[in-house]
Amino acid sequence: MHQDGHTASRDFEHAPVMVEEITEVFASVPPGTFVDATLGGGGHSAAILESRDDLDLIGIDQDRDALDAARARLSEYGDRVRVSRRRFDDFDAALADHDVDSISGALFDLGVSSPQLDRSDRGFSYRHPGPLDMRMDADQTWSADDVVNGYSEADLARIIKRFGDERFAGRIARAICAARPIQTTTELAAVVTTAIPAAARRSGGHPAKRTFQAIRIEVNDELGVLPEALDQAVHATKPGGRIAVLAYHSGEDRIVKDRFAVAAGACDCPQDLPCVCGAIQTVRIVRGVAKRASEAERQRNRRAASARLRVVERIAATRKSDGQPVEER
C-alpha cells in the first residue's frame, strides 16, 4: 500500500552518511542547480540547501516512498526543490523534466537506505520476515523471487560471488537451489546461514548480509546503470562544479574510480612518451584515495562503516596530449 507523505517521512528519518564531508564538497561550487541523484529521505540535500542559499535542487529517486518523504522534509525550501521519479541513469531526462541544461554538481549516495532495510515488507532485510522483493522501484515486475527461485545454480553463484564478495558463493547457491521454493526473506537468510561453515559465521556481521546485497544489486541492476549515470552527470556539470559519490561495495567503488579516471583523461600511453590516444580530460580528481567516515561516525551509524567517498571537479575539456581546449558535444 502506498503511504501518505507523513508516514513515509517518518519511515525515512535516518542519519545521512558523512553529511559534513558532503556539505564541504559543495561549499565552493558555483551558484545554480545541484542534483541529488539518490534523494532518499533528503538528508544530504537538506544540509546542502541550508549551507548554500544560492543553490537549488533537483532530486531523483525511483522509490515513491522516498520521494514523498523528501518532499515533506524539504518543504521549507519551497520552489528551490524539484523532484523526478526516475532511475539515476535517466539523469539527463530528469534535467530535461525541469528545463535545466547545466548543473553545479551532483551527489550519488549508492546502495539501499536504512529505512528501506528496516521495512520488512520491502524484502531487503535478512533480519525480519518479508516477501522476496528488494525492488527499489515498486512498479518493476522483476523481483528477488525471480532470482532466488528462478536462477540456475551457476548464475546464483556468479552473482553472489561478484556482487557480494562472498567466498562461499558456490555452497550458498547449491543450498538455495536445494531448498526451493523459498518464500520469505527469513527463510532465505536461514538457508544461507546454514550453508556457511560454522567457523566463518562467527565474524563479519550477519552471515546472509553479502548474499542479500548481491541479490539486491542484481534485482535493481545497480552496477549496470552506474557508469552511464556517472558519465551523464560529468557531462552536465559546468566547470567548477563537483560530482561526489558514496559507495558501499567494492564493485560500486571500482566502477566509480574507473569512470572518474576516464573523465580525468586516463590513457594507456607510456608515461615517458607523448599521449597519442586522443584522451580528453573533463575533470580533475579532488582526492586520489577514497575518503572514509570518521571512527566516531562509524561507531554511531552502521551504514557509514563501509562508505567510501570519491569526488571530482569539472574543468573545461582539454586534450590530454597537449593541454589544448576541445569543444564538447
Side-chain angles (χ1 to χ4, degrees):
M1 182 182 291
H2 180 50
Q3 298 177 309
D4 62 59
H6 294 297
T7 304
S9 179
R10 287 195 302 271
D11 281 352
F12 271 82
E13 286 177 359
H14 70 293
V17 170
M18 297 178 71
V19 67
E20 292 179 5
E21 291 88 344
I22 293 295
T23 304
E24 183 180 346
V25 164
F26 295 103
S28 61
V29 300
T33 299
F34 81 95
V35 175
D36 189 337
T38 47
L39 185 59
H44 286 116
S45 289
I48 294 168
L49 289 167
E50 190 64 30
S51 68
R52 290 287 304 269
D53 60 11
D54 57 353
L55 290 175
D56 59 66
L57 165 73
I58 292 176
I60 304 172
D61 208 294
Q62 60 184 322
D63 189 316
R64 187 182 286 110
D65 289 338
L67 288 180
D68 287 345
R71 284 191 187 97
R73 181 167 190 173
L74 303 173
S75 59
E76 65 183 283
Y77 300 103
D79 59 8
R80 292 175 65 195
V81 175
R82 294 160 289 175
V83 301
S84 288
R85 185 173 177 237
R86 291 183 176 275
R87 201 167 67 170
F88 58 51
D89 59 323
D90 283 337
F91 196 96
D92 287 344
L95 298 189
D97 288 343
H98 305 288
D99 296 318
V100 171
D101 294 322
S102 63
I103 60 173
S104 299
L107 169 66
F108 292 79
D109 183 6
L110 304 176
V112 65
S113 70
S114 299
Q116 287 169 322
L117 283 171
D118 294 339
R119 278 188 52 193
S120 58
D121 64 313
R122 298 297 300 273
F124 291 106
S125 175
Y126 41 77
R127 299 183 186 278
H128 308 292
L132 290 174
D133 192 334
M134 302 194 194
R135 294 171 298 166
M136 292 185 179
D137 178 358
D139 292 339
Q140 175 181 304
T141 55
W142 183 256
S143 74
D145 180 71
D146 295 292
V147 176
V148 172
N149 290 307
Y151 273 27
S152 68
E153 181 180 321
D155 283 341
L156 276 174
R158 174 182 54 81
I159 68 161
I160 294 169
K161 175 67 175 176
R162 181 183 175 195
F163 299 151
D165 296 326
E166 173 58 73
R167 59 184 171 134
F168 300 110
R171 294 174 60 134
I172 292 168
R174 194 155 50 250
I176 288 173
C177 290
R180 288 171 173 168
I182 298 173
Q183 305 290 343
T184 68
T185 52
T186 45
E187 283 180 52
L188 176 60
V191 170
V192 173
T193 300
T194 303
I196 295 174
R201 297 180 215 152
R202 300 190 188 110
S203 61
H206 195 288
K209 177 180 178 180
R210 290 179 292 276
T211 297
F212 270 63
Q213 171 183 279
I215 294 170
R216 186 205 82 219
I217 288 172
E218 176 72 4
V219 168
N220 296 287
D221 192 24
E222 293 172 37
L223 302 193
V225 301
L226 182 56
E228 176 64 20
L230 294 173
D231 291 350
Q232 289 181 40
V234 168
H235 186 262
T237 302
K238 53 192 171 187
R242 290 182 166 188
I243 300 99
V245 184
L246 280 166
Y248 301 85
H249 168 255
S250 61
E252 292 172 341
D253 187 55
R254 192 157 46 245
I255 290 171
V256 176
K257 183 179 179 181
D258 289 348
R259 294 320 300 166
F260 281 175
V262 169
C267 71
D268 296 325
C269 300
Q271 290 188 352
D272 56 343
L273 294 175
C275 172
V276 294
C277 70
I280 294 172
Q281 181 176 6
T282 56
V283 303
R284 71 172 184 88
I285 307 291
V286 173
R287 183 185 176 90
V289 178
K291 186 177 180 63
R292 307 299 293 262
S294 68
E295 179 61 30
E297 181 174 3
R298 293 200 297 268
Q299 289 294 326
R300 68 175 180 265
N301 184 356
R302 67 185 183 188
R303 189 165 180 255
S306 57
R308 303 174 178 95
L309 172 63
R310 294 188 185 273
V311 182
V312 294
E313 183 169 301
R314 190 66 155 88
I315 62 172
T318 58
R319 197 163 40 242
K320 195 71 180 289
S321 58
D322 56 14
Q324 292 300 306
V326 296
E327 185 176 344
E328 294 188 63
R329 294 180 180 179

Short mmCIF file of all heavy atoms in Angstrom, two decimals, residues 111-112 117 124 126 134 159-166 208-220 222 248-252 306:
data_model
loop_
_atom_site.label_atom_id
_atom_site.label_comp_id
_atom_site.label_asym_id
_atom_site.label_seq_id
_atom_site.Cartn_x
_atom_site.Cartn_y
_atom_site.Cartn_z
N GLY A 111 23.54 2.35 -3.08
CA GLY A 111 23.07 1.31 -2.18
C GLY A 111 21.65 1.55 -1.72
O GLY A 111 20.90 2.31 -2.31
N VAL A 112 21.30 0.90 -0.64
CA VAL A 112 19.93 0.97 -0.12
C VAL A 112 19.93 1.74 1.19
O VAL A 112 20.87 1.66 1.97
CB VAL A 112 19.36 -0.46 0.07
CG1 VAL A 112 20.13 -1.22 1.13
CG2 VAL A 112 17.87 -0.44 0.39
N LEU A 117 15.84 -0.86 4.37
CA LEU A 117 16.26 -2.10 5.00
C LEU A 117 15.35 -2.47 6.18
O LEU A 117 15.05 -3.63 6.41
CB LEU A 117 17.70 -1.98 5.50
CG LEU A 117 18.80 -2.08 4.46
CD1 LEU A 117 20.14 -1.72 5.09
CD2 LEU A 117 18.85 -3.47 3.85
N PHE A 124 14.10 -6.26 1.81
CA PHE A 124 15.55 -6.06 1.80
C PHE A 124 16.22 -6.67 3.04
O PHE A 124 17.43 -6.89 3.04
CB PHE A 124 15.90 -4.56 1.79
CG PHE A 124 15.55 -3.85 0.52
CD1 PHE A 124 14.47 -2.99 0.46
CD2 PHE A 124 16.32 -4.02 -0.62
CE1 PHE A 124 14.16 -2.31 -0.70
CE2 PHE A 124 16.02 -3.34 -1.80
CZ PHE A 124 14.93 -2.49 -1.83
N TYR A 126 17.39 -9.13 6.05
CA TYR A 126 17.62 -10.54 6.38
C TYR A 126 17.27 -10.82 7.84
O TYR A 126 17.32 -11.96 8.29
CB TYR A 126 19.07 -10.95 6.10
CG TYR A 126 20.10 -9.92 6.49
CD1 TYR A 126 20.49 -9.73 7.81
CD2 TYR A 126 20.69 -9.12 5.52
CE1 TYR A 126 21.42 -8.79 8.17
CE2 TYR A 126 21.64 -8.17 5.87
CZ TYR A 126 22.00 -8.00 7.19
OH TYR A 126 22.93 -7.06 7.55
N MET A 134 12.80 -6.75 -2.75
CA MET A 134 14.05 -6.00 -2.96
C MET A 134 14.00 -5.03 -4.13
O MET A 134 15.04 -4.54 -4.58
CB MET A 134 15.26 -6.93 -3.12
CG MET A 134 15.50 -7.86 -1.95
SD MET A 134 17.15 -8.61 -2.06
CE MET A 134 16.99 -9.95 -0.86
N ILE A 159 26.54 -14.34 -9.30
CA ILE A 159 26.17 -13.01 -8.77
C ILE A 159 26.52 -12.87 -7.29
O ILE A 159 26.90 -11.78 -6.84
CB ILE A 159 24.69 -12.68 -9.03
CG1 ILE A 159 23.76 -13.59 -8.20
CG2 ILE A 159 24.35 -12.74 -10.50
CD1 ILE A 159 22.37 -13.04 -8.05
N ILE A 160 26.41 -13.97 -6.53
CA ILE A 160 26.74 -13.89 -5.11
C ILE A 160 28.23 -13.64 -4.92
O ILE A 160 28.65 -12.89 -4.03
CB ILE A 160 26.29 -15.17 -4.37
CG1 ILE A 160 24.75 -15.26 -4.37
CG2 ILE A 160 26.80 -15.19 -2.94
CD1 ILE A 160 24.21 -16.61 -3.91
N LYS A 161 29.04 -14.24 -5.78
CA LYS A 161 30.48 -14.00 -5.74
C LYS A 161 30.82 -12.60 -6.21
O LYS A 161 31.58 -11.86 -5.57
CB LYS A 161 31.19 -15.04 -6.61
CG LYS A 161 32.70 -14.84 -6.75
CD LYS A 161 33.40 -15.07 -5.43
CE LYS A 161 34.90 -14.99 -5.59
NZ LYS A 161 35.61 -15.11 -4.31
N ARG A 162 30.24 -12.20 -7.35
CA ARG A 162 30.61 -10.92 -7.97
C ARG A 162 30.09 -9.72 -7.19
O ARG A 162 30.81 -8.75 -6.96
CB ARG A 162 30.06 -10.87 -9.40
CG ARG A 162 30.42 -9.59 -10.13
CD ARG A 162 29.80 -9.54 -11.50
NE ARG A 162 30.06 -8.26 -12.15
CZ ARG A 162 29.41 -7.82 -13.21
NH1 ARG A 162 28.46 -8.56 -13.76
NH2 ARG A 162 29.69 -6.65 -13.74
N PHE A 163 28.82 -9.77 -6.78
CA PHE A 163 28.20 -8.61 -6.15
C PHE A 163 28.24 -8.65 -4.62
O PHE A 163 27.95 -7.65 -3.96
CB PHE A 163 26.75 -8.47 -6.60
CG PHE A 163 26.57 -8.26 -8.08
CD1 PHE A 163 25.43 -8.70 -8.72
CD2 PHE A 163 27.55 -7.64 -8.84
CE1 PHE A 163 25.26 -8.51 -10.08
CE2 PHE A 163 27.39 -7.45 -10.20
CZ PHE A 163 26.23 -7.89 -10.82
N GLY A 164 28.57 -9.82 -4.07
CA GLY A 164 28.61 -9.94 -2.61
C GLY A 164 29.99 -10.19 -2.05
O GLY A 164 30.15 -10.24 -0.83
N ASP A 165 30.98 -10.40 -2.92
CA ASP A 165 32.33 -10.74 -2.45
C ASP A 165 32.26 -11.91 -1.46
O ASP A 165 32.99 -11.94 -0.46
CB ASP A 165 33.00 -9.54 -1.78
CG ASP A 165 33.24 -8.39 -2.74
OD1 ASP A 165 33.51 -8.67 -3.92
OD2 ASP A 165 33.15 -7.23 -2.32
N GLU A 166 31.40 -12.87 -1.77
CA GLU A 166 31.14 -13.99 -0.85
C GLU A 166 31.99 -15.19 -1.26
O GLU A 166 31.85 -15.73 -2.35
CB GLU A 166 29.65 -14.34 -0.87
CG GLU A 166 29.27 -15.58 -0.10
CD GLU A 166 29.67 -15.49 1.37
OE1 GLU A 166 29.02 -14.74 2.12
OE2 GLU A 166 30.66 -16.19 1.74
N ALA A 208 24.20 -13.77 6.20
CA ALA A 208 23.45 -13.59 4.95
C ALA A 208 23.63 -12.21 4.34
O ALA A 208 23.11 -11.95 3.25
CB ALA A 208 21.96 -13.84 5.20
N LYS A 209 24.36 -11.34 5.00
CA LYS A 209 24.47 -9.94 4.55
C LYS A 209 24.98 -9.83 3.11
O LYS A 209 24.40 -9.12 2.28
CB LYS A 209 25.41 -9.18 5.49
CG LYS A 209 25.66 -7.74 5.09
CD LYS A 209 26.61 -7.07 6.08
CE LYS A 209 26.91 -5.63 5.67
NZ LYS A 209 27.84 -4.98 6.63
N ARG A 210 26.04 -10.54 2.79
CA ARG A 210 26.64 -10.40 1.46
C ARG A 210 25.75 -10.99 0.36
O ARG A 210 25.66 -10.45 -0.75
CB ARG A 210 28.02 -11.06 1.45
CG ARG A 210 29.06 -10.29 2.28
CD ARG A 210 30.41 -10.98 2.28
NE ARG A 210 30.37 -12.25 3.01
CZ ARG A 210 30.51 -12.35 4.33
NH1 ARG A 210 30.72 -11.27 5.06
NH2 ARG A 210 30.45 -13.52 4.93
N THR A 211 25.07 -12.09 0.68
CA THR A 211 24.17 -12.70 -0.31
C THR A 211 22.98 -11.79 -0.59
O THR A 211 22.57 -11.61 -1.75
CB THR A 211 23.70 -14.08 0.17
OG1 THR A 211 24.84 -14.95 0.27
CG2 THR A 211 22.69 -14.68 -0.79
N PHE A 212 22.40 -11.21 0.46
CA PHE A 212 21.27 -10.29 0.26
C PHE A 212 21.70 -9.07 -0.55
O PHE A 212 20.97 -8.60 -1.41
CB PHE A 212 20.70 -9.86 1.62
CG PHE A 212 19.60 -10.76 2.12
CD1 PHE A 212 19.85 -12.10 2.40
CD2 PHE A 212 18.32 -10.28 2.32
CE1 PHE A 212 18.86 -12.94 2.86
CE2 PHE A 212 17.31 -11.11 2.78
CZ PHE A 212 17.57 -12.44 3.06
N GLN A 213 22.89 -8.56 -0.27
CA GLN A 213 23.41 -7.43 -1.03
C GLN A 213 23.53 -7.79 -2.51
O GLN A 213 23.14 -7.01 -3.39
CB GLN A 213 24.79 -7.04 -0.49
CG GLN A 213 25.53 -6.02 -1.34
CD GLN A 213 26.92 -5.73 -0.78
OE1 GLN A 213 27.06 -4.96 0.15
NE2 GLN A 213 27.92 -6.39 -1.33
N ALA A 214 24.06 -8.97 -2.78
CA ALA A 214 24.25 -9.41 -4.17
C ALA A 214 22.92 -9.53 -4.90
O ALA A 214 22.79 -9.10 -6.06
CB ALA A 214 24.99 -10.75 -4.19
N ILE A 215 21.93 -10.12 -4.26
CA ILE A 215 20.62 -10.29 -4.90
C ILE A 215 19.97 -8.93 -5.14
O ILE A 215 19.38 -8.69 -6.19
CB ILE A 215 19.72 -11.21 -4.04
CG1 ILE A 215 20.31 -12.62 -3.99
CG2 ILE A 215 18.30 -11.24 -4.60
CD1 ILE A 215 19.65 -13.54 -2.99
N ARG A 216 20.09 -8.03 -4.18
CA ARG A 216 19.53 -6.67 -4.33
C ARG A 216 20.17 -5.95 -5.52
O ARG A 216 19.49 -5.32 -6.32
CB ARG A 216 19.78 -5.87 -3.06
CG ARG A 216 19.13 -4.49 -3.03
CD ARG A 216 19.88 -3.58 -2.09
NE ARG A 216 21.07 -3.02 -2.72
CZ ARG A 216 22.24 -2.84 -2.11
NH1 ARG A 216 22.42 -3.22 -0.86
NH2 ARG A 216 23.23 -2.29 -2.77
N ILE A 217 21.49 -6.05 -5.65
CA ILE A 217 22.19 -5.40 -6.76
C ILE A 217 21.73 -5.99 -8.09
O ILE A 217 21.51 -5.27 -9.06
CB ILE A 217 23.71 -5.54 -6.58
CG1 ILE A 217 24.18 -4.64 -5.42
CG2 ILE A 217 24.45 -5.19 -7.86
CD1 ILE A 217 25.64 -4.84 -5.03
N GLU A 218 21.55 -7.31 -8.14
CA GLU A 218 21.09 -7.97 -9.36
C GLU A 218 19.67 -7.54 -9.71
O GLU A 218 19.38 -7.21 -10.88
CB GLU A 218 21.15 -9.49 -9.17
CG GLU A 218 20.62 -10.29 -10.34
CD GLU A 218 21.52 -10.27 -11.57
OE1 GLU A 218 22.63 -9.68 -11.51
OE2 GLU A 218 21.12 -10.85 -12.59
N VAL A 219 18.78 -7.53 -8.74
CA VAL A 219 17.37 -7.17 -8.99
C VAL A 219 17.26 -5.77 -9.57
O VAL A 219 16.49 -5.52 -10.51
CB VAL A 219 16.54 -7.28 -7.68
CG1 VAL A 219 15.17 -6.64 -7.85
CG2 VAL A 219 16.39 -8.74 -7.27
N ASN A 220 18.04 -4.84 -9.05
CA ASN A 220 17.93 -3.44 -9.45
C ASN A 220 18.96 -3.01 -10.49
O ASN A 220 19.01 -1.82 -10.85
CB ASN A 220 18.04 -2.55 -8.21
CG ASN A 220 16.89 -2.80 -7.24
OD1 ASN A 220 15.77 -2.39 -7.48
ND2 ASN A 220 17.19 -3.49 -6.14
N GLU A 222 22.02 -2.42 -10.28
CA GLU A 222 22.67 -1.22 -9.73
C GLU A 222 24.02 -0.93 -10.38
O GLU A 222 24.35 0.23 -10.65
CB GLU A 222 22.81 -1.36 -8.22
CG GLU A 222 21.48 -1.35 -7.49
CD GLU A 222 21.61 -1.68 -6.00
OE1 GLU A 222 22.61 -1.24 -5.40
OE2 GLU A 222 20.73 -2.37 -5.47
N TYR A 248 29.41 1.78 -1.21
CA TYR A 248 29.42 0.91 -0.03
C TYR A 248 29.89 -0.50 -0.34
O TYR A 248 29.92 -1.35 0.54
CB TYR A 248 28.02 0.86 0.59
CG TYR A 248 27.51 2.22 0.99
CD1 TYR A 248 26.87 3.04 0.08
CD2 TYR A 248 27.70 2.70 2.28
CE1 TYR A 248 26.42 4.30 0.43
CE2 TYR A 248 27.25 3.95 2.66
CZ TYR A 248 26.62 4.74 1.73
OH TYR A 248 26.18 6.00 2.09
N HIS A 249 30.26 -0.75 -1.58
CA HIS A 249 30.61 -2.10 -2.02
C HIS A 249 31.77 -1.96 -3.00
O HIS A 249 31.85 -1.00 -3.76
CB HIS A 249 29.38 -2.73 -2.69
CG HIS A 249 29.66 -3.98 -3.44
ND1 HIS A 249 29.69 -4.04 -4.82
CD2 HIS A 249 29.92 -5.23 -3.02
CE1 HIS A 249 29.95 -5.28 -5.21
NE2 HIS A 249 30.09 -6.01 -4.14
N SER A 250 32.68 -2.90 -2.96
CA SER A 250 33.89 -2.79 -3.77
C SER A 250 33.58 -2.70 -5.25
O SER A 250 34.28 -1.99 -6.00
CB SER A 250 34.81 -3.98 -3.49
OG SER A 250 34.17 -5.20 -3.82
N GLY A 251 32.53 -3.39 -5.71
CA GLY A 251 32.16 -3.33 -7.12
C GLY A 251 31.71 -1.94 -7.52
O GLY A 251 32.06 -1.43 -8.60
N GLU A 252 30.88 -1.31 -6.67
CA GLU A 252 30.46 0.07 -6.92
C GLU A 252 31.66 1.00 -6.97
O GLU A 252 31.81 1.81 -7.89
CB GLU A 252 29.54 0.56 -5.79
CG GLU A 252 28.19 -0.09 -5.69
CD GLU A 252 27.45 0.33 -4.43
OE1 GLU A 252 28.08 0.83 -3.48
OE2 GLU A 252 26.22 0.15 -4.40
N SER A 306 31.14 1.07 5.87
CA SER A 306 31.73 0.65 4.60
C SER A 306 31.75 1.77 3.55
O SER A 306 32.13 1.53 2.40
CB SER A 306 30.95 -0.55 4.04
OG SER A 306 29.59 -0.23 3.88
#
